[in-house]
Amino acid sequence: MQEVESLRRKFLRYLAQTSDEPMNVVVERAEGCWIYSKDGKRYLDFISGIAVTNIGHRHPEVVNAIHEQVERYLHTMVYGEFVQDVQVELAERLVEIVQEAFRRASGQAWELQYYPTNSGTEANEGALKLSRKFTGRKKFVAFKNSFHGDTMGSLSVTGREVYRQPFLPLLADVEFLPFGDVSSLERIDEEVAAVICEPIQGEAGIIVPPDEFLPALRKRCDEVGALLILDEVQTGFGRTGKWFAFEHWNIVPDILTVGKALGGGMPLSGFLARREVMRAFAENPPLCHVTTFGGHPVNCAAALAALKVMERENLPQKASVTGEKLKSELQRLAGKFPQIVEVRGKGLMLGLEFETKGQTQTFVKRCLDMGLIVGGTLHTEKVVRIAPPLVVSDEEIAWAISVMEKALEG
Ligand code: PLP
């Protein structure tokens, strides 16, 4: 216990804090859907490190792949110069998976390339820069309540005023439209380099757009020659019950950004685009978008193993089936407890909306005390995020529901 308290004190003393209310779980180890703390408790993880551990914590195949790569080489050279076998293999597998999803959604064949980065926000930075360079245009369109990351470019297209205000001026040429509103899409014009959009808004509180919205957005971008960037950093890799969320609406982006779950627990992200679009980064001038650590070999090895697990275990399909079961259980709770206003989302990206901030906070805290980790989303104080690893079992779901029911009974 003394060790635990000392660690908590040092965490507060030496690590820069991002809020006054950290969750404060002192981690000892993690495995599958469970996190074990140093004070002898165990927690069922129903947020997956925010949509990262889709295949569970410390999947043995990921751990093995990391060990094997560590024995061979770590960093050897900045991205784009040396041929690193594991990076090439990962790119090939990822491109094939995304091309296959593009084919399912559009019926066409695609020739995509992958540019690896280290975080979701960096993937979006690269996508925004690429769209300017390729189109020669300046302006961006984004959506209200979006979240694309915390570096200056991504923050510039993030649609929440309280988070933007302290950092103004951001990029000037950005217009925000209401998410899900087809009629406002006509504001996208020939000056727009790119529209950036989450297919399902995560941090806004798990907002699924009306079915006509994304097809209308794709059509408008085509009419005016703007590139469509879909940010699937959170929705990608099976989270919503398909490999990528765009498959729910049969549209494809010009640039797809990915991150979070890609690395199987290691930091790896990136963006994918057609070869002729990507070419804009290699000329006039060459080396106009570079990265030291993007595509780190250990992270690529982990990602390659993670993708194999997702494919072999058909995790997107599993998330769809499990998500339906979980959603209907949550709807049962909503029928019983009037403080729940709505249950929404797709696959295992679900949100529970409460009537008040107080009810939301109490629910999250009671669940944590009983060993179930759920959490909020960044842009609203009334939504609880429910996003377990895609490998979650029926027994684990039943246990989580019983905990939530107790938390609601209070
Ligand atoms: N884009 C979306 C949709 C996200 O949900 C997030 C993080 O939550 C990001 C981008 C930023 O990712 P990162 O924190 O890895 O920079």
Side-chain angles (χ1 to χ4, degrees):
M1 263 333 242
Q2 238 180 349
E3 186 204 356
V4 173
E5 278 321 309
S6 158
L7 270 172
R8 281 209 173 100
R9 264 200 312 278
K10 289 183 184 177
F11 165 72
L12 294 172
R13 162 65 183 85
Y14 294 111
L15 285 156
Q17 299 295 304
T18 55
S19 88
D20 288 334
E21 293 164 341
M23 290 171 97
N24 246 327
V25 173
V26 182
V27 180
E28 171 68 21
R29 66 191 173 89
E31 201 149 349
C33 298
W34 294 86
I35 295 174
Y36 300 83
S37 69
K38 280 193 187 287
D39 46 10
K41 293 190 191 147
R42 67 172 202 159
Y43 297 88
L44 182 58
D45 182 1
F46 257 45
I47 49 178
S48 306
I50 315 296
V52 170
T53 49
N54 285 14
I55 60 168
H57 292 273
R58 270 186 70 249
H59 194 286
E61 288 170 48
V62 170
V63 173
N64 272 342
I66 291 171
H67 280 305
E68 280 173 21
Q69 183 56 40
V70 164
E71 290 301 322
R72 297 202 305 130
Y73 57 93
L74 303 178
H75 177 88
T76 53
M77 181 52 176
V78 299
Y79 170 70
E81 300 293 342
F82 288 2
V83 180
Q84 305 178 51
D85 51 6
V86 66
Q87 196 181 68
V88 174
E89 268 182 73
L90 183 261
E92 180 182 22
R93 201 62 224 108
L94 177 62
V95 162
E96 280 172 3
I97 286 170
V98 176
Q99 284 181 169
E100 193 51 30
F102 270 49
R103 195 195 53 71
R104 281 195 297 275
S106 72
Q108 292 172 39
W110 297 86
E111 195 182 343
L112 303 176
Q113 288 187 326
Y114 167 56
Y115 190 116
T117 51
N118 307 287
S119 63
T121 197
E122 265 179 89
N124 287 329
E125 293 286 339
L128 292 169
K129 279 179 70 183
L130 182 63
S131 70
R132 274 199 172 172
K133 183 80 167 41
F134 180 74
T135 61
R137 303 176 184 183
K138 299 269 178 288
K139 192 174 158 185
F140 295 117
V141 167
F143 293 93
K144 291 184 181 159
N145 272 324
S146 59
F147 183 75
H148 296 293
D150 271 339
T151 51
M152 285 297 204
S154 300
L155 183 60
S156 297
V157 290
T158 284
R160 178 91 188 287
E161 229 19 63
V162 287
Y163 291 125
R164 298 165 51 79
Q165 203 62 37
F167 306 103
L168 296 177
L170 295 166
L171 285 179
D173 288 342
V174 182
E175 180 169 355
F176 290 95
L177 301 179
F179 184 66
D181 177 26
V182 171
S183 65
S184 65
L185 297 178
E186 65 190 28
R187 298 194 54 84
I188 302 167
D189 59 23
E190 276 81 4
E191 288 179 13
V192 175
V195 179
I196 183 164
C197 179
E198 297 158 89
I200 296 176
Q201 287 190 330
E203 298 316 308
I206 321 295
I207 309 292
V208 182
D211 275 343
E212 61 278 15
F213 178 68
L214 287 166
L217 175 59
R218 175 68 271 181
K219 183 162 171 275
R220 185 63 189 158
C221 287
D222 288 340
E223 282 164 5
V224 298
L227 298 189
L228 176 59
I229 302 170
L230 285 183
D231 175 347
E232 294 237 23
V233 168
Q234 186 164 157
T235 50
F237 303 104
R239 175 56 54 197
T240 71
K242 305 251 185 208
W243 268 98
F244 296 96
F246 62 73
E247 293 179 73
H248 290 289
W249 294 281
N250 290 324
I251 58 139
V252 299
D254 298 291
I255 308 178
L256 175 71
T257 63
V258 293
K260 289 190 183 273
L262 171 60
M266 297 292 275
L268 187 67
S269 64
F271 49 101
L272 294 104
R274 296 187 302 277
R275 184 204 265 276
E276 72 270 18
V277 177
M278 232 28 136
R279 183 74 203 148
F281 272 166
E283 56 195 16
N284 301 321
L287 301 176
C288 68
H289 192 76
V290 297
T291 166
T292 300
F293 283 128
H296 191 282
V298 177
N299 302 348
C300 287
L304 191 55
L307 289 180
K308 280 183 189 156
V309 173
M310 291 179 210
E311 285 189 283
R312 192 186 57 232
E313 298 184 12
N314 208 356
L315 287 187
Q317 166 68 13
K318 183 175 184 309
S320 168
V321 174
T322 318
E324 281 306 312
K325 283 189 213 158
L326 178 55
K327 197 173 181 185
S328 75
E329 280 298 301
L330 293 171
Q331 271 155 347
R332 182 179 64 75
L333 294 184
K336 191 168 164 193
F337 299 96
Q339 64 264 45
I340 302 178
V341 177
E342 195 183 18
V343 180
R344 55 177 181 253
K346 281 189 184 289
L348 286 170
M349 182 172 176
L350 299 172
L352 271 186
E353 181 166 341
F354 282 77
E355 272 174 333
T356 67
K357 175 183 171 183
Q359 288 166 352
T360 316
Q361 286 176 333
T362 306
F363 178 77
V364 170
K365 177 155 189 331
R366 282 189 187 149
C367 287
L368 188 66
D369 289 344
M370 287 186 274
L372 176 69
I373 300 177
V374 293
T377 64
L378 201 57
H379 294 339
T380 157
E381 289 166 331
K382 295 186 192 165
V383 176
V384 171
R385 180 200 311 270
I386 313 271
L390 311 187
V391 294
V392 67
S393 69
D394 287 350
E395 293 72 36
E396 286 162 337
I397 286 187
W399 186 78
I401 289 289
S402 74
V403 169
M404 289 189 224
E405 194 152 4
K406 276 189 217 135
L408 288 162
E409 278 158 3

